[in-house]
Amino acid sequence: MTEQAMRILVFSHRPEVRESIINAVGRRPATDIGKVDYVETAGVGEVLTEMDSGEIDLAIFDGEAQPTGGMGLARQLKNEIDDCPPIVVAVRRKDDRWLATWSQADAVLVHPLDPLTAAGTVADVLRTRRVPVVGG
């Protein structure tokens, strides 16, 4: 039986930014994670629909997206969705990391994206997400 691929949502109004994120993370961020499938979204409505579906394992938001930025959207979703999937925010400048922290993002990537760092960061967040919560 084949394990179903994890689904990663990538949000940016710019197709080239979505492509750069997907290329950096790759189809298999780590051997223990398995393959991932991408859901590309260009608008907030699409993001909300996909995030509400319960089928997204992780989201990567472009912090510079227009007209709604990924950082504000991440903060909104973290506060509105129970058991919100982890969100990684991609920013243009290292100095913007503090804004990503404000957004309640689970991790931050900085452009230009380094494939090893991007894949490793996404794999780490996915590993954390997979750990079951066990009551004592």
Side-chain angles (χ1 to χ4, degrees):
M1 186 167 114
T2 308
E3 186 176 320
Q4 185 163 346
M6 294 186 132
R7 296 186 69 202
I8 297 177
L9 181 143
V10 178
F11 163 66
S12 177
H13 73 290
R14 297 175 51 204
E16 63 273 15
V17 173
R18 294 192 307 267
E19 182 180 6
S20 73
I21 290 169
I22 292 168
N23 287 338
V25 174
R27 296 286 174 190
R28 189 178 188 118
T31 55
D32 63 314
I33 296 298
K35 290 185 180 178
V36 296
D37 289 331
Y38 290 96
V39 177
E40 293 186 54
T41 59
V44 174
E46 296 170 278
V47 172
L48 297 176
T49 299
E50 291 293 338
M51 294 294 275
D52 283 341
S53 75
E55 297 178 3
I56 299 298
D57 295 295
L58 179 137
I60 304 173
F61 293 168
D62 175 9
E64 312 293 322
Q66 297 293 326
T68 302
M71 288 182 262
L73 186 57
R75 185 174 176 89
Q76 174 186 341
L77 293 176
K78 287 292 189 175
N79 288 303
E80 291 180 0
I81 297 177
D82 292 334
D83 197 27
C84 184
I87 298 173
V88 176
V89 174
V91 297
R92 295 267 169 234
R93 303 174 322 135
K94 286 183 183 179
D95 292 346
D96 289 338
R97 285 178 172 267
W98 74 271
L99 282 169
T101 302
W102 166 86
S103 75
Q104 301 174 20
D106 296 275
V108 180
L109 298 174
V110 179
H111 289 280
L113 300 177
D114 171 65
L116 290 176
T117 302
T121 299
V122 167
D124 287 346
V125 174
L126 285 170
R127 282 185 200 105
T128 302
R129 174 69 175 184
R130 286 196 318 195
V131 174
V133 176
V134 179

